Amino acid sequence: MLTTDGLRSHLLAARLAGVVGTTREESLRSYRLFAARDPRLLIGLDPERAWGERDLLALMAERCGVPADPGRVGGHDVIDPERTLSALDACAQRLAVAAERGVPVLLGTGHPHRLLGFYAALADGLSAAGCAVLTPAQGRRVDITTRFGLRTYNLDYVRGVGLVRSATSGRPGREPGAHTHSPLPVRTALAAAADAGGPLPQLVIGDHGWVCGAGQLGFEAVGPADVNDPAPFVGEAEGVVSVAVPLDDGVRSDDYLPLARYVLNRACLSQ
């Protein structure tokens, strides 16, 4: 069983927190684009207030522990592991409530190469506790605008976790899935569930557009976010996203599994 001290050590050793791989330049560029309301950074969120670059930097310093000094423009960014641990505990509380009530849940990721195993472990724990893990709109076409133009994907589920795959892949169903920040996959899934008469999820667990897109539509949504993705933290500050967990979302996939075990243990869902 992983203790809080043990997980803190793991966060730092794996560079999930502490000095992370995300550069300061990447983070500040993202804050500038979000302040300009670039859809690529809003990822499904429609902020109520105007967020300037200084506002975003102050928020990310508060929520993630990044340096608050706007003059710090180079090097690697920093995540406070205590904030990560606190947010993981808050996530565990949401999972515990969902499990106690046996409510339907929806999980999805725009980072299938990195985070699929993390979400799949949570899906297994919630399913074992009696929650229906929903998979609406499987195989449905999703057209997403990318930096390369409009691309067509298919919505798929692996071990209960939603993701998108390129519709033109030569190995359908075999590649791990595509990286995306788009909210269109979760909107497609939720619309299909509603059109079918339900059930609708009472909790959505995901990242990028999955967490922001679901939260913006009024669903309880929790999940991890990197320091160059301010949208989930803005959503959390405005009450749209329930919990945003600050961590580096680009490390080895196996390094996220201790986090899943920790959350399941804190939620009393360990198998």
Side-chain angles (χ1 to χ4, degrees):
M1 185 180 300
L2 193 62
T3 65
T4 300
D5 287 343
L7 183 58
R8 182 185 296 107
S9 297
H10 173 71
L11 291 172
L12 295 171
R15 296 188 68 182
L16 287 155
V19 178
V20 295
T22 306
T23 67
R24 185 70 164 177
E25 292 91 341
E26 289 178 272
S27 296
L28 295 177
R29 178 178 179 274
S30 294
Y31 306 162
R32 287 195 295 272
L33 292 173
F34 188 98
R37 293 199 170 230
D38 189 314
R40 293 172 297 175
L41 271 297
L42 295 178
I43 55 177
L45 199 68
D46 183 16
E48 292 183 356
R49 56 165 284 194
W51 290 84
E53 292 177 48
R54 291 290 183 101
D55 301 321
L56 291 165
L57 182 57
L59 175 71
M60 299 301 281
E62 173 195 343
R63 302 283 167 141
C64 306
V66 304
D69 179 9
R72 170 87 174 269
V73 297
H76 287 267
D77 231 325
V78 176
I79 295 175
D80 177 5
E82 301 306 320
R83 288 171 169 82
T84 304
L85 290 167
S86 177
L88 287 171
D89 287 343
C91 263
Q93 292 173 5
R94 299 308 198 282
L95 265 66
V97 171
E100 181 181 1
R101 297 176 178 173
V103 300
V105 297
L106 176 67
L107 299 94
T109 180
H111 260 304
H113 299 74
R114 308 291 185 185
L115 288 164
L116 178 59
F118 169 79
Y119 293 114
L122 300 184
D124 287 345
L126 288 164
S127 177
C131 294
V133 177
L134 304 179
T135 58
Q138 181 153 11
R140 189 73 56 88
R141 169 176 167 163
V142 184
D143 293 324
I144 298 175
T145 300
T146 74
R147 59 179 174 166
F148 306 109
L150 191 67
R151 294 289 185 268
T152 298
Y153 298 91
N154 293 324
L155 183 60
D156 197 7
Y157 292 87
V158 176
R159 298 175 59 193
V161 182
L163 50 85
V164 294
R165 303 184 190 277
S166 172
T168 59
S169 170
R171 303 174 62 203
R174 295 185 182 181
E175 77 281 2
H179 174 223
T180 180
H181 286 221
S182 174
L184 293 178
V186 75
R187 290 176 183 169
T188 300
L190 293 170
D195 290 345
L200 294 172
Q202 306 268 324
L203 177 66
V204 177
I205 306 169
D207 50 66
H208 292 167
W210 284 87
V211 68
C212 289
Q216 187 64 50
L217 291 174
F219 293 87
E220 182 170 23
V222 303
D226 208 334
V227 289
N228 62 347
D229 290 324
F233 299 101
V234 171
E236 185 181 42
E238 293 192 349
V240 172
V241 172
S242 294
V243 182
V245 182
L247 54 78
D248 191 312
D249 61 12
V251 305
R252 296 185 321 119
S253 57
D254 288 348
D255 287 329
Y256 297 99
L257 298 181
L259 280 66
R261 292 195 293 269
Y262 177 85
V263 168
L264 291 171
N265 180 58
R266 300 288 280 188
C268 299
L269 297 176
S270 298
Q271 296 175 294

